[in-house]
Amino acid sequence: MPILRKPQQYGFFSFDGGLLHQLSDAYGLGPLTGFRPILLDGDHCTLIDVRSQTSRKMVVEGSDGTRLFLKQIPWYCERDALVLATRWQTQAHDAGAPVPRLLHTLTGRPWFEIAGSYFTLTEYVPGRRYSSTPADRAQAGEAIARLHAAAVDVPDEPAENTFAVAVEHVALARESTAVPTAVLDVMELAVRSWREQAEAAGWDGLTGQLTHGDTNPWNLIYGERAMLIDFDNAHRGPCLRDIAEALLSFCSVHYQQDSTNFAPTLPGPINHPAAADILTAYTRVRRLEAAEITCIPPASGAVAVGLVCLGLLRGDFPTTMAAALAAWATTIPADIADLVHERRR
């Protein structure tokens, strides 16, 4: 995905009547009778704009009681990426992957465009939020593996390199934050070193496939089986990027309570038992090749650097934490390598 600065004014929490009428006409929905700016997470009720501020979202309800999830595609998701992501999501659902069904307009498109903005409608998936249990982590690992194992059409381009994206995040942090140059230099040099290690281990020969690109706890809905949502960052690439982010976001990073934003708390070492919940469930569905296993630690370091830069860019982390965050990110490959070694014994 392109690494772009977030617009200062976005108007996340408003859909005017004209837009909703055009939506209804585009999809042939008939009268829309309910407009809900909330998510029902089991016994919890969460305001959608508290959960995420990357794009406008709303639950809409038809006259027959059908619930659908309306979403404006974020500013950083360009049209080519949208075409790829919606095609993959449709194919993955049809192949039986744990992905909600995307609705298509009357003209057959899985999105609609109004005044230069893109919107999608998906089936509303009932369920609950992540509850930090081994069962939920196992559901996440299984869901991610089932997505990776789904038979979908994967074109040669566009492709995304986990290490190049991390360097781009560092570059944007240089441009847009007051983080000391020396701290950013440490992270950039580390990413370049990890890229060399991964390439020596066979990174460039790994299969490029459908990769979700944002496997944090909030992008799954939990029930009997977890469902993956939010394909804005979907891309072609090695599946290790999804595995790495899951290990970090479920087993190290802290989040603000009802939000996808990071808590201003230094992430800790990887929780190895929690990580084992994810990896054990994943490998029951999809076997990891030797080169993939070897590349997980350096890929995890690159993802950790990306998360640090994202948190600094969004203001989740104060600049005063930058050096400690960089130190955490640079320890991640060794921590993940220890985890992998434990599982091989």
Side-chain angles (χ1 to χ4, degrees):
M1 71 175 186
I3 308 301
L4 302 174
R5 186 186 294 110
K6 178 179 178 180
Q8 291 185 352
Q9 301 293 329
Y10 205 68
F12 292 101
F13 204 48
S14 60
F15 287 99
D16 62 46
L19 184 151
L20 293 171
H21 280 299
Q22 291 180 69
L23 160 76
S24 180
D25 291 343
Y27 285 90
L29 297 177
L32 298 175
T33 58
F35 309 96
R36 305 174 186 273
I38 61 172
L39 293 173
L40 299 176
D41 295 325
D43 295 332
H44 295 82
C45 178
T46 303
L47 285 169
I48 291 175
D49 70 333
V50 170
R51 170 62 61 83
S52 173
Q53 296 186 3
T54 54
S55 65
R56 294 186 293 173
K57 306 175 182 73
M58 180 179 286
V59 178
V60 298
E61 190 171 296
S63 56
D64 62 354
T66 301
R67 289 184 181 177
L68 302 169
F69 193 73
L70 168 63
K71 177 176 181 176
Q72 181 172 358
I73 301 302
W75 74 95
Y76 56 75
C77 189
E78 297 177 336
R79 191 178 187 280
D80 288 348
L82 171 65
V83 171
L84 185 67
T86 52
R87 186 174 77 211
W88 271 353
Q89 186 172 348
T90 299
Q91 291 180 357
H93 174 270
D94 292 346
V99 174
R101 182 174 67 90
L102 264 176
L103 274 68
H104 287 59
T105 66
L106 296 178
T107 61
R109 284 186 173 178
W111 76 85
F112 71 107
E113 180 182 1
I114 298 176
S117 293
Y118 297 98
F119 300 82
T120 58
L121 268 178
T122 58
E123 285 183 327
Y124 180 78
V125 180
R128 56 174 174 77
R129 70 175 69 189
Y130 176 58
S131 58
S132 301
T133 64
D136 280 5
R137 289 188 290 272
Q139 282 195 22
E142 178 187 347
I144 295 167
R146 289 177 63 203
L147 175 66
H148 292 164
V152 297
D153 176 26
V154 182
D156 290 337
E157 297 293 341
E160 185 169 294
N161 185 290
T162 300
F163 302 96
V165 170
V167 170
E168 290 174 14
H169 272 100
V170 174
L172 187 55
R174 289 187 193 279
E175 175 189 336
S176 305
T177 72
V179 174
T181 297
V183 173
L184 296 172
D185 287 345
V186 166
M187 290 194 288
E188 182 171 348
L189 288 171
V191 172
R192 295 187 186 281
S193 174
W194 296 329
R195 182 172 188 168
E196 292 177 0
Q197 293 173 28
E199 289 174 349
W203 175 269
D204 292 335
L206 297 180
T207 303
Q209 60 195 73
L210 169 55
T211 301
H212 182 274
D214 196 9
T215 48
N216 69 67
W218 312 114
N219 279 339
L220 293 105
I221 298 172
Y222 305 85
E224 291 185 8
R225 277 187 163 180
M227 294 280 283
L228 276 159
I229 59 173
D230 194 348
F231 276 68
D232 296 336
N233 295 306
H235 60 275
R236 177 186 181 275
C239 66
L240 303 187
R241 193 248 176 271
D242 282 349
I243 296 173
E245 182 159 6
L247 295 177
L248 292 166
S249 60
F250 281 83
C251 309
S252 178
V253 173
H254 307 288
Y255 289 88
Q256 297 181 32
Q257 183 175 5
D258 272 335
S259 171
T260 57
N261 288 4
F262 305 128
T265 305
L266 187 67
I270 298 293
N271 181 321
H272 286 207
D277 294 334
I278 294 171
L279 288 174
T280 299
Y282 184 98
T283 53
R284 286 196 193 108
V285 176
R286 181 181 178 274
R287 177 176 173 271
L288 289 169
E289 301 294 334
E292 291 178 315
I293 294 171
T294 303
C295 287
I296 290 175
S300 298
V303 174
V305 166
L307 295 179
V308 166
C309 291
L310 177 62
L312 291 166
L313 286 160
R314 292 193 308 206
D316 300 352
F317 299 130
T319 302
T320 53
M321 285 183 63
L325 289 164
W328 165 76
T330 55
T331 67
I332 285 299
D335 198 357
I336 297 291
D338 288 343
L339 171 66
V340 171
H341 179 69
E342 289 172 5
R343 288 182 54 78
R344 283 178 162 175
R345 286 188 301 189

